[in-house]
Amino acid sequence: MPATRHRRGSARALLAAVTVLAGLITAAVPAAADDPAPVLVDRFEGEVPLSAPPADSIFTWGSDADDQPKLALTERADAPEGSKVLEGTYDISGWGGLSHEFAVDQTPQNWSAHKGIRFWWYGQNKAPLPPGSGKKINFEIKDGGANGGASELWTMSFTDDWEGWHQVEVPFADFVYRGDYQPVGGIDHILGLDRMWGYALTLPTGAPGSFAIDGMELYGKADPALTAGIATDATVHPVDGGGAATVRLTLSTTGGLPVEEPVTVAYTTQGGTAVAGTDYTPVTGTYTFPAGTASGATHTVKVTTKKAKKASEARTIPLVLTVTGAKAPTETPQVVINAHGLPYQNAKLPVKQRVADLLSRLSPAEKAGQMTQAERNALRSPGDIASYDLGSLLSGGGSVPTPNTPEAWASMIDSYQLRAQATRFQIPLIYGVDAVHGHNNVIGSTIMPHNIGIGATRDPQTAQRTGAVTASEVRATGIPWDFAPCVCVTRDERWGRSYESYGEDPALVESMETVIQGMQGAANGSDLDRDDKVLATAKHYVGDGGTEFGSSTTGSYTIDQGVTKVTREELEAVHLAPFQEAVDRGIGTVMPSYSSLDILGDDQGPVKMHADAEMINGVLKDRMGFEGFVISDWQAIDQIPGDYASDVRTSVNAGLDMIMVPTAYQDFTSTLRSEVTAGRISQARIDDAVSRILTQKFKLGLFEKPYADTSNIDDIGSAAHRAVAREAAAKSQVLLKNDGAVLPLKANQKVYVAGSNADNIGNQAGGWTVSWQGSSGDITEGTTILEGMKKDASSVTYSQDASAATDGYDVGVVVVGETPYAEGIGDVGNGNDLELTAADKAAIDKVCAAMKCAVLVVSGRPQLIGDRLGDIDALVASWLPGTEGDGVADVLYGKRAFTGQLPVTWPKSETQLPINVGDATYDPQFPFGWGLTTLKKAPAGGEATLTALSVAAGIAEKLHLGNTAAGKVIVDQARLLVQQKTGGKLTAAVSKPFAEADHLLLTGDLTGAVAKLRAAYRAA
């Protein structure tokens, strides 16, 4: 427990008296000659701003936007130091806190002369508490490395047991190496203190709270014992029986200086599950690094195992170290004699037989562990992977290693897989990540258009290719599981997840599910062990795209995680159909939705999908025949009404097989076992869940190859992969208006470019890019739309706000739209709307008044543009094209034709929402399926040609060409005729049959589609 000093009361007179008295004492009793005076790190007077790195800054972070504390530098009469303190409030469900990181362009601070660090903390408890019973706050310091984000983390914790100010005093000797997470995987495991980059506070979860902090300072004289430490090359050393493991002990010192005093390491093999003399030869000894030994010196200890005649589970041999004169490693290294000779290890046996054998050997604790998925940052220690027999880890959005490179990802995943080798049966982890439009967490990866843009391509082959590229890049970093694709059907553009959907028509979504084959390969799972395939996830089951506006009860969300109210017929036709398609394509996992389902007429009211046994057990598993496993969404079972035990049993009994806890893995595993012991969850249900999970692990080949196969790592972000993304971006562009044939542009034209999204890689990539919410700016590698245009044009001038002079140009291009968001953070009404910003509107007004203009809308959903449509010559829905702005430039300059079609209805106003194809009243700005093309002109002949196309459609159907490219060509000819005749003047009488024709085409009904288009033609 760190030392503390109390301070109560807030009167200015008392504060002044204490300050004067402290000054008198300091003057009368000088510090000892060998005891350095305290050195202030932070006064919190405003000298360090509340901003973000790389400048010197104090900033917040969290598992989502709601989990980030709110900070303010506030004047207080009771401030222990100066006149201001740092105050904060928080309400954290996942994890969150604050950091002070020193500027990256400055020399790091040297704290090595001091004994420790101390600070004033304002306690919030209203009554005295026993020591250690208050809220727990973790405090960590950032040591070594290139900067605060690439340093080594050392941590301690204190509990807030008091009311009012108290001083927390922490000797550096009390800090321990953080075992659950290291930005760079660890540097030297030595608290050097000579290259300090700042500190961080992780605040408690579970209930709202507040805090205040002041006077962060260094105190005392350094402890010489901190200048040296012993580290091991690895904590787990697997070896086949009969082989030898070598444990390397490395001496490290502050600043790399030779040790001043001898360092002795005593070692002995003891404990564990292996039997000394039978399984291995015991080892005992000591080794001394003499005074003057250079930092980096090593000594190896060899542990020899014995070959076993009988099949056996894995057995452990801890090598206990006792270190004198330096800090010992934070964990005891252990040698693991690999399991061998057991049937489940035989790759030649059928998967079903391997699963049955392994399942029969597992204890209740091991089964519970297999059903548990933890966020990697939530691990108290990497050793918990083995201690709790965890079956899975994940990286949430933005949970990345530092540096954020493919190689660092592979190394990180391998380090976790190594820990799983210390379990009895060495069951590998299945690591998951949200790679929803490329391997989007990784800087430099190929970022595809978001799903809404892929839906606009109307090209199943493009969808499949994007899935294949994503799978290859994900698997190359050691990750075998992707939480994608989203096969939701978006029915209301106010939903912040609209761009995660392929469109508003279930038939369109189904046609894009070729992405599953791109990711997984063959439907029977036979390709899953390839180095370029991953296990895919159909989400979010079921109805998350149909939630009613205003029905959400999650924080400030308005529609995301709300209630989907549908008839049973609508549920089947709209929301369930894409999941049947996913099951038929062999999808490996399914993730339920946060939302609730209210089937009208059944009088049951809303049911949380994570608790809906009828839908998961009854429909998904029994009726649809889903054979994979069901994974929960992030902490989603906690939203089920009732206490935690009720949440666990309700969700598991409803058919969930693995729970993304993602932080409370200790509570979940113990609660799950208790519920089974009490008979509230049957053993058969547990065995079914674990069997499903193990089946996919065997299919993925993880037992044979648990570590990253980096054969394709150089392909991440490669020219070949970017070419696929570039083509997808080009095909996703939807030409909504093109008066005077403004597009395509000509290379010799003088072009004036403006707008917020013309030169912003972060905005054109959108949410779920590098971080969960995404961010504006130069966040990853790629080409902006402006950069792509400059490659094709002889003359391009860029002025974001259109402030530059506009005379003398042939044409203007204004690129406007949204800034990044994800999930309910992007809900309309949650600080968002569908209007363009005032700056974007002003740019459109100025440019379009001065010259012919084309407006590109870069957004995850339609934007309201009708009030300016008359002044715009050409309008393009660019969606969120990803990192390859070259693809957008390709269609702007005619290298590729515009061929995209609207995947959702484009509304005239927000009051029209929700508006979808098939609605009884349907009068949008642009209908579903609308999209002009520069590929070919409409055929001649008008009504007579439509009659001929109707006959051709009937013949094609008889030849079973309904869902083929040949069949689509027939309907496309009719569509071109309608679009030509309207001249852009759309009425409800035109739009309704036009949209319904596109729906019928997607279902393979060619004659019905042409008939609808004939009706639209006549109405035009």
Side-chain angles (χ1 to χ4, degrees), residues 238-253:
V239 62
D240 290 334
T246 300
V247 181
R248 185 181 300 273
L249 309 175
T250 301
L251 173 70
S252 298
T253 63

Side-chain angles (χ1 to χ4, degrees), residues 922-944:
Y922 190 78
D923 185 21
Q925 193 81 68
F926 298 102
F928 175 78
W930 185 265
L932 307 178
T933 183
T934 55
L935 180 64
K936 52 192 172 184
K937 295 181 179 179
E943 186 74 39

Side-chain angles (χ1 to χ4, degrees), residues 161-174:
D161 302 328
W162 304 273
E163 180 184 9
W165 288 108
H166 60 278
Q167 193 173 49
V168 180
E169 190 170 274
V170 192
F172 290 129
D174 287 358

Side-chain angles (χ1 to χ4, degrees), residues 715-750:
D715 292 336
I716 295 176
S718 66
H721 284 185
R722 290 183 184 275
V724 173
R726 179 174 181 167
E727 179 181 352
K731 289 182 175 180
S732 73
Q733 303 300 292
V734 180
L735 184 58
L736 299 172
K737 179 181 180 180
N738 194 26
D739 288 358
V742 169
L743 296 177
L745 303 172
K746 299 176 180 62
N748 61 359
Q749 287 178 308
K750 291 186 67 178

Side-chain angles (χ1 to χ4, degrees), residues 376-419:
R376 69 180 190 97
N377 273 330
L379 292 174
R380 297 177 309 174
S381 164
D384 279 2
I385 292 172
S387 299
Y388 289 88
D389 295 288
L390 296 181
S392 181
L393 293 180
L394 83 149
S395 279
S399 180
V400 303
T402 303
N404 186 356
T405 64
E407 292 77 12
W409 276 89
S411 177
M412 179 181 74
I413 305 302
D414 283 354
S415 71
Y416 294 134
Q417 288 288 16
L418 180 62
R419 296 297 185 141

Side-chain angles (χ1 to χ4, degrees), residues 258-467:
V259 288
E260 297 179 2
E261 302 291 337
V263 174
T264 300
V265 183
Y267 50 86
T268 183
T269 50
Q270 65 179 44
T273 57
V275 179
T278 301
D279 296 323
Y280 69 96
T281 302
V283 175
T284 299
T286 61
Y287 181 79
T288 298
F289 295 94
T293 301
S295 180
T298 62
H299 176 70
T300 57
V301 178
K302 188 175 182 180
V303 179
T304 303
T305 66
K306 299 187 176 184
K307 192 171 183 65
K309 296 180 180 179
K310 296 181 180 179
S312 174
E313 63 196 38
R315 299 182 182 182
T316 57
I317 311 166
L319 182 66
V320 178
L321 305 177
T322 304
V323 180
T324 305
K327 293 195 73 173
T330 55
E331 291 185 82
T332 297
Q334 56 182 329
V335 175
V336 179
I337 305 174
N338 291 326
H340 63 280
L342 300 172
Y344 75 87
Q345 295 178 297
N346 185 352
K348 295 180 180 179
L349 292 178
V351 167
K352 188 173 183 179
Q353 188 174 337
R354 298 178 75 184
V355 169
D357 176 70
L358 180 52
L359 182 69
S360 70
R361 301 175 186 279
L362 298 181
S363 68
E366 288 164 331
K367 291 178 181 179
Q370 286 301 302
M371 295 175 65
T372 307
Q373 184 181 65
E375 217 287 338
R376 69 180 190 97
N377 273 330
L379 292 174
R380 297 177 309 174
S381 164
D384 279 2
I385 292 172
S387 299
Y388 289 88
D389 295 288
L390 296 181
S392 181
L393 293 180
L394 83 149
S395 279
S399 180
V400 303
T402 303
N404 186 356
T405 64
E407 292 77 12
W409 276 89
S411 177
M412 179 181 74
I413 305 302
D414 283 354
S415 71
Y416 294 134
Q417 288 288 16
L418 180 62
R419 296 297 185 141
Q421 295 300 299
T423 59
R424 278 204 307 162
F425 300 109
Q426 299 179 305
I427 303 174
L429 296 166
I430 179 170
Y431 200 101
V433 67
D434 286 280
V436 298
H437 63 138
H439 200 358
N440 44 254
N441 281 290
V442 181
I443 292 175
S445 65
T446 307
I447 305 299
M448 303 291 173
H450 268 296
N451 285 356
I452 196 78
I454 300 299
T457 71
R458 290 297 200 281
D459 185 357
Q461 291 184 340
T462 292
Q464 183 167 340
R465 285 195 293 270
T466 62

